[in-house]
Amino acid sequence: MVSWLIYLGFCSLLAVNLILYGMVFRQVGTPEFTIEYVLRVLTNPLFIVVVMSAFGGAVLRMFVFREFGVTRTVIMSEATVVLSLILAFVIFREDINFTKFLIGSAMILIGVFIVQS
């Protein structure tokens, strides 16, 4: 049970990073290949939070790799896709096909469960 909670925390952190990263680009605008744009991204406070959070996620990932093994951790991180979709739907009010979302999410989670068993 503890391993599932650690996996859930790990996946949640990854999902939150993805969502925050998307929020940064909503704030700074369409990506351009200019120095000004890069500086706008690098000095965005939300981007700084994402970088710090990603560092924390990397440290957590090393711990999870050591405790549970690389194979189990990588497979479980596929649940991040489901969490990211849910967060994107809630935070960004993205339009998604609910039936396809449920079927796809169920397939991912069933696959993770089968491989973990």
Side-chain angles (χ1 to χ4, degrees):
M1 181 67 175
V2 172
S3 65
W4 278 97
L5 291 175
I6 292 172
Y7 284 137
L8 182 62
F10 172 68
C11 292
S12 297
L13 182 61
L14 291 177
V16 167
N17 275 343
L18 290 172
I19 296 302
L20 289 175
Y21 196 64
M23 292 173 75
V24 167
F25 287 103
R26 281 202 168 185
Q27 288 181 2
V28 296
T30 306
E32 305 166 2
F33 293 108
T34 65
I35 291 176
E36 295 162 4
Y37 179 79
V38 171
L39 289 175
R40 251 190 338 215
V41 170
L42 293 176
T43 57
N44 183 295
L46 199 53
F47 183 77
I48 295 167
V49 169
V50 170
V51 169
M52 291 177 5
S53 179
F55 177 75
V59 171
L60 180 60
R61 179 175 259 186
M62 286 187 285
F63 167 76
V64 173
F65 280 165
R66 188 182 71 223
E67 293 298 316
F68 303 107
V70 174
T71 305
R72 290 180 69 193
T73 303
V74 170
I75 291 168
M76 187 58 193
S77 68
E78 295 304 320
T80 303
V81 175
V82 176
L83 289 172
S84 298
L85 285 170
I86 292 168
L87 286 174
F89 177 71
V90 170
I91 293 172
F92 295 128
R93 309 251 190 262
E94 295 284 334
D95 292 330
I96 60 172
N97 182 319
F98 196 68
T99 305
K100 288 181 181 178
F101 169 74
L102 283 178
I103 292 170
S105 297
M107 289 174 66
I108 290 170
L109 294 176
I110 290 169
V112 168
F113 181 76
I114 288 171
V115 172
Q116 291 291 321
S117 299

